Amino acid sequence: MIKFQFTFAVCLLALGTSVALGQNIQGSAHDFSNDNWNTTGQICIVCHTPHNADATVTNAPLWNHATTTATFTTYNSATMQATTGQPDASAKLCLSCHDGTIAVDNYGSQSGGSHFISGGPRIGTDLGNDHPISFTYNSSLASQDGGLHDPSTTNSGLGGTIAEDMLIGGKMQCASCHDVHNGSGFAYLLRKSNAGSALCLTCHDK
Amino acid sequence: MRRIFFLLLFLQTITAAAQSIVDTPHNLSANGPGSIHAGSETEICIFCHTPHNSSPCAPLWNRNNPGQNYILYQSSTIEAAPGQPDGASILCLSCHDGTIALGAVVSRDHLIEFSGGITVLPTGHANLGSDLSDDHPVSFIYNTSLAAADGELTDPATLNGPVQLDGQKVQCTACHNPHNNIYGNFLVASTHYSDLCMFCHQKNGWNGSLHRVSSASWNGSGNDPWPKSTYQTVAENGCENCHQPHGAGGAERIMRHLPEENNCLDCHAGNVAAKNIQSDLNKSYRHDVFAYTHIHDPEENAVSDIRHVECTDCHNPHVANGTDASAPVASGAIEGVKGVNSQGSAISAIQYEFEICYRCHADSPEKPGGHTSRQFYQTNVRLEFNAGNPSFHPVEASGKNGDVPSLISPLNEASIIYCTDCHASNNSSANGPHGSVYSPILKFRYETADYTSESYQAYELCYQCHDRNTIVNNQSTNFANVVHRKHIVDLQTPCNVCHDPHGVQGSSTNQSHLINFDTSVVSKSTGRQGKLEFIDSGSFTGQCYLYCHGRNHNPKRYI
Amino acid sequence: MKKQPFFYGLCVLLLFVRLSFGQNMLSTAHDFSNADWNIHGQTCRVCHIPQDLDTVESNMPLWNRAVSSASYSIYTSSTLDATPGQPDGPSKLCLSCHDGTLAVDCFGDRSGGLYIINGQSCIGADLRDDHPISFVYNSSLASKDGGLYDPAITNSGLGGTIADDLLIDGKMQCTSCHEIHNMTGAAKLLRKPNIGSALCLTCHNK
């Protein structure tokens, strides 16, 4: 019995370690406080403002950045059961820099910025070659697809279920994989380590 | 109770794990279980997929198109039109054609290093190369009209099991699920009893065939018929007794071996099937299946126009079964084979056994010659056995002679016999004319040389049906005494000298009783009215004009 | 008038505070002593009076202003775990100028003022584009959100914990970020400078 308790304690410890948040946005790829185009020297302000936020974008927390109006080409596949639409909610916020149509420095009252994202981080407006986003991922989809775990019952490895930890409004979004604030400190601002493709296999039952 | 609970938990874990790519050879990460894996890369999905900037887009592919010009599968019997690999297949080939390094992924600007210095997929069964002619065809449209044209394919509209099309096409993914290896070889269903194959292939007659149901297993001698299989019986191995979906030795129709007969002799050599056909086929006089390779074609004309013989000329391995039959009806062993009927017309499936023989031994320009020089020389056996002839052995119909006292019961004058009652392997448990020590593939000894000393053994073939005692020892009638005993025993003349065993065209006066002289022994009578002729004068009476053994019959009557 | 000495005492205290912190509200955005609408020419009186005249709201330090009766639109977000209600406590006092419904010069017994706040300083009655306020921020919220520091144990950088220094009755209010008397001298009357978004990141674990 003592042994059992010990094992249990080790498990809890391991769980605690895996969800520990050891990093933050400071010094991450999203910390623009030292970029020459950011005259404020602040971090949050490129995306957020405490006042006069753009509340016209849904699910945009105190949004302070120009928002993309691009029409996106969405991912399509014969083997995909999910129904994707135009990027919505927080995905649209990510794309407001990452689609390359809006300057990174178009935040606050500034417009006419000249710093556009480039290289690998530039997703573009063609999302056909990117993992689908902005689709409802629920038990029914998992059952229909057969290659996805049930988000309402499957542990995300982040403390709760996939639905609780990784979906936003029941949808898969950019933020399902990426922690824009770098809470975990993994490469590519991933929500969790992808060693052993652990992030992919959180949802994909392959 | 708690112990059982943990056991169940453990089992559940195993089951779940077995269905994950993580535990398959497709886990190419450094921690992968296969012999081929990366040196240090721990990501698994990355070797095929990327979440961004994929190419092609779906399914988020992370590898380049090999850009090869593939040699495609070809077959005379295929109705489908395979094109250059596309869809999912070209994705698979980005590793499995062996041209692109396993570690070459789009999302990395450097090659992911593999352990052991491996770059491309090593040579082996998983490396298909760019010659796909020996692999099951892929990248072809499989629709209802294809199924109808083929006649032995499931209507794809009803494909609702594990086999799924990629759009309208059959691709590698119809049979393989690269993420799941519970059936081995990443198959989507078990090949046990060829379950997988039969989702699409509905071969006529297969469900009733012996190859479908036989529980015969390898007795350990000779070759292992199933070197790549763990299944123990013919039925369990199903299609793969003969077919090999990848790297087939006989590319066309993905046969395991190019020499057609080898596909059969893997099992019919005394090692699996009860009857050893190979030993018959090794005898001096045989249907020489070894002599021809890649000449037989299932699409060939029923009337054979290029001389050859293969097992499948006489047997349909998808249909062959153990059904018994009585002459002239074809038995199950040769059911479902094409043939030529008594009118000389091609038929797709024989009803009578002789219809197979007529493919090559009747109207074929390539038919073999006769073995005896006859007064009326005929090598078209269909014409010889024609029921309208004045005499013939009763192969197509009952014989013309209503009084044949030599017949051994249960044979009688109304009986019909098979070609294979005479032409068959000697001393064999198999019925067919596979091979014999007696020419021309005779079941028993049948001497044809002049001056053969009569014995049961010398004419054992004839004496199977015609009682020797009645033929040569019955001295009760003048005919028996003077004609048969005198010629066969005293003058040592073989049956074959006077009788043509197949049949003779002509008149009921001159060509009855299969009389058609061997002209190497018998010649025209000499003197006035010199001729070679038999005249039937009624029951057991007649006369002959001939010269034989130094004697002149001009004519010689017997009453 | 007996509270008058206390009022002057308060001014003395503020002077003392100035000596300590190096700043006070004189000559800052909240010093209206020279505004033409301020007939008294006093600084504090725009908000405070020695007599406790208005007892409608709690936490009203000798309040000398009408309090807005506006109904506010409250910030919402799918990622928000807090439950902000109508503004209360000190926030309500701030909004009695900053919601733009009452004239700045409506203090004391004056009514029908003319000077309405405008520009960036006018928050308006629509608070949906503003950082949420008037919500309880405690350990439980921090744990539920995952992106907030535990206020009970996290150092505010101002001497004590977040709860000690920045919360009012356990709630996040306008005054959690803003020091209306400008004792720190930080821009926008912030409680502490926001260089590198230091103020934001005091609470936000991003």
Side-chain angles (χ1 to χ4, degrees), chain C residues 79-99:
Chain C
T79 56
L80 181 73
D81 291 301
T83 49
Q86 286 291 315
D88 60 12
S91 295
K92 186 129 188 182
L93 307 185
C94 303
L95 288 166
S96 65
C97 280
H98 287 276
D99 73 358

Side-chain angles (χ1 to χ4, degrees), chain A residues 57-189:
Chain A
V57 189
T58 53
N59 290 318
L62 296 171
W63 198 239
N64 196 35
H65 198 275
T67 309
T68 181
T69 55
T71 301
F72 295 88
T73 305
T74 57
Y75 179 79
N76 191 24
S77 165
T79 57
M80 182 174 67
Q81 307 297 324
T83 311
T84 56
Q86 287 291 311
D88 60 14
S90 61
K92 199 157 176 185
L93 308 182
C94 305
L95 289 165
S96 291
C97 283
H98 287 275
D99 75 355
T101 68
I102 309 271
V104 176
D105 45 345
N106 278 1
Y107 64 91
S109 57
Q110 302 178 71
S111 60
S114 57
H115 288 81
F116 290 91
I117 205 165
S118 63
R122 186 182 178 280
I123 300 291
T125 58
D126 182 356
L127 307 183
N129 58 1
D130 299 291
H131 190 289
I133 50 168
S134 301
F135 62 87
T136 298
Y137 172 22
N138 54 20
S139 306
S140 148
L141 174 68
S143 153
Q144 199 183 356
D145 185 280
L148 289 172
H149 291 293
D150 183 345
S152 64
T153 60
T154 306
N155 200 310
S156 72
L158 297 171
T161 64
I162 292 171
E164 288 164 353
D165 298 336
M166 308 187 86
L167 304 186
I168 301 97
K171 285 186 172 181
M172 154 88 197
Q173 301 285 16
C174 304
S176 300
C177 296
H178 298 285
D179 180 350
V180 65
H181 299 117
N182 191 37
S184 305
F186 295 114
Y188 303 109
L189 305 176

Side-chain angles (χ1 to χ4, degrees), chain B residues 11 28 62 76 112 127 148 171 220 422 453 537:
Chain B
L11 284 174
L28 297 180
N62 201 22
S76 63
I112 297 173
N127 183 345
Q171 303 288 12
C422 295
S453 178
S537 308

Side-chain angles (χ1 to χ4, degrees), chain A residues 1-17, chain B residues 2 6 9:
Chain A
M1 198 58 192
I2 284 170
K3 194 178 218 173
F4 185 77
Q5 280 177 337
F6 177 70
T7 311
F8 191 62
V10 169
C11 288
L12 280 179
L13 198 67
L15 192 66
T17 307
Chain B
R2 166 177 265 179
F6 278 110
L9 199 70

Side-chain angles (χ1 to χ4, degrees), chain C residues 155-175:
Chain C
N155 201 310
S156 73
L158 296 173
T161 64
I162 293 171
D164 293 339
D165 300 336
L166 301 176
L167 304 187
I168 298 91
D169 289 345
K171 284 188 174 179
M172 157 86 196
Q173 301 285 11
C174 302
T175 51

Side-chain angles (χ1 to χ4, degrees), chain B residues 17 175 180-181 254 330 393 461 503:
Chain B
C175 296
N180 189 325
N181 199 28
I254 50 174
H393 257 112
L461 180 69

